Amino acid sequence: MKLYLDPGHGGSDPGAHGNGMNEKDITLDIALNIQTILTNYENVQVKMSRTTDQTVSLTERTNQANSWGADYFLSIHCNSFNGSAQGYEDYIHSSLSDSSQTAKYQDTLHKAIVDLNQLNDRGQKKANFHVLRESSMPALLTENGFIDNEHDGALLKKPAWRKQVAQGHVNGLVKAFNLKRKQEGAAIIYRIIAGSFKSRENANDRADFFQTNGIESFVGAITISGEQWYRVQAGAFSDQENAEKRLNEVIKAGVKDAFIVKEKR
């Protein structure tokens, strides 16, 4: 199953704003959590529209998903409406019938997400959004709370809640596409660590450097000896040989101190 995962907005487009947060940061964190959780499942490939705070046009997102041949397009967003509205809703394209395959996938993901997200259920909806209209595969856009609402904003600020929301999305994908969890003994992940920085800006610069060299990476926060660092990860693999190939690519790009971390999951 090939999933095109699209964290909404990014770079020069912050999306909605409220309670000291930008939508682009929340959507990226939820999407990265989805990607990480899916490493526990067999036969799943994930391609993300962005893994850092970069500008990607709507056309670039759908063109990439279409040319890759994705089986499903999942776009992650948050809502806003003058602080008075709250809750979760999701969208498929307005031209689709309730009996379409896309609508059936929406039914499955919607239930799985609202089971975990602690938000008011605003229902399943349809709209003429670009990513729903121009993607050639079934597509869903999720609106995960209102960033400018006091209740929803308090949840959106919590990393644990964002992981929970990611788990809800994954639960829906698992049911919709009959994904199988990897065997316990085989669940080893090889992560390529390609830099740790005290400055988030420096970490983003490193990730952007990889992006220009065709190497997918993202920035994650980690606490070491009570201090927060920003770690650049240039891939996670279940196969050690593939991890070593990526490490060689990173080193050839000029980052000589990159290394592999082996983790059991």
Side-chain angles (χ1 to χ4, degrees):
M1 182 269 197
K2 297 172 73 172
L3 172 69
Y4 190 84
L5 184 56
D6 175 37
H9 307 283
S12 61
D13 174 17
H17 177 80
N19 291 298
M21 298 175 287
N22 287 320
E23 180 181 2
K24 66 177 182 177
D25 300 319
I26 301 299
T27 62
L28 180 58
D29 190 58
I30 292 172
L32 288 171
N33 278 307
I34 292 172
Q35 182 190 46
T36 297
I37 298 168
L38 282 172
T39 62
N40 295 313
Y41 290 87
E42 297 177 350
N43 301 318
V44 182
Q45 296 179 56
V46 179
K47 183 181 284 292
M48 295 182 63
S49 60
R50 64 184 182 95
T51 56
T52 61
D53 182 18
Q54 68 182 111
T55 305
V56 185
S57 73
L58 294 176
T59 300
E60 286 176 304
R61 297 171 200 241
T62 50
N63 283 352
Q64 189 177 57
N66 293 341
S67 62
W68 184 51
D71 297 306
Y72 198 59
F73 190 113
L74 180 59
S75 191
I76 310 300
H77 287 259
C78 305
N79 241 323
S80 67
F81 186 74
N82 72 26
S84 63
Q86 63 183 94
Y88 168 84
E89 60 197 26
D90 47 46
Y91 292 85
I92 61 173
H93 191 252
S94 51
S95 66
L96 295 167
S97 72
D98 292 341
S99 60
S100 65
Q101 183 61 64
T102 302
K104 292 175 183 176
Y105 287 149
Q106 182 185 28
D107 292 342
T108 301
L109 268 82
H110 184 93
K111 183 180 186 309
I113 294 166
V114 298
D115 279 349
L116 294 183
N117 67 9
Q118 302 169 255
L119 296 172
N120 290 346
D121 184 358
R122 295 171 59 90
Q124 298 171 227
K125 301 183 178 183
K126 299 178 183 180
N128 189 32
F129 298 141
H130 174 98
V131 296
L132 303 179
R133 183 183 67 249
E134 300 300 327
S135 49
S136 58
M137 68 293 302
L140 181 73
L141 185 147
T142 65
E143 293 277 10
N144 297 276
F146 283 74
I147 200 168
D148 58 349
N149 175 266
E150 184 177 358
H151 170 269
D152 290 6
L155 292 173
L156 285 160
K157 283 184 177 179
K158 297 178 181 178
W161 180 85
R162 298 195 295 268
K163 287 182 180 179
Q164 185 92 335
V165 168
Q167 185 66 62
H169 284 70
V170 171
N171 289 351
L173 291 167
V174 167
K175 187 168 183 181
F177 292 93
N178 195 29
L179 303 181
K180 303 298 182 187
R181 198 170 181 88
K182 291 177 180 176
Q183 295 296 318
E184 191 72 28
I188 296 175
I189 300 297
Y190 300 91
R191 302 185 187 279
I192 291 78
I193 307 305
S196 296
F197 303 86
K198 283 192 173 181
S199 161
R200 178 77 187 230
E201 185 177 351
N202 290 340
N204 285 340
D205 287 344
R206 172 66 60 83
D208 289 342
F209 166 76
F210 285 132
Q211 205 77 20
T212 60
N213 283 274
I215 299 172
E216 188 171 293
S217 66
F218 69 89
V219 176
I222 185 171
T223 302
I224 303 173
S225 301
E227 290 188 308
Q228 180 158 283
W229 291 73
Y230 297 97
R231 191 168 74 174
V232 181
Q233 180 176 307
F237 302 87
S238 57
D239 181 85
Q240 185 173 357
E241 186 177 343
N242 290 337
E244 288 171 352
K245 286 180 182 177
R246 174 58 60 83
L247 178 62
N248 287 333
E249 291 174 10
V250 168
I251 292 171
K252 284 180 181 177
V255 180
K256 307 297 185 184
D257 57 350
F259 59 92
I260 295 174
V261 172
K262 180 180 175 181
E263 295 179 1
K264 285 187 175 181
R265 296 194 66 81

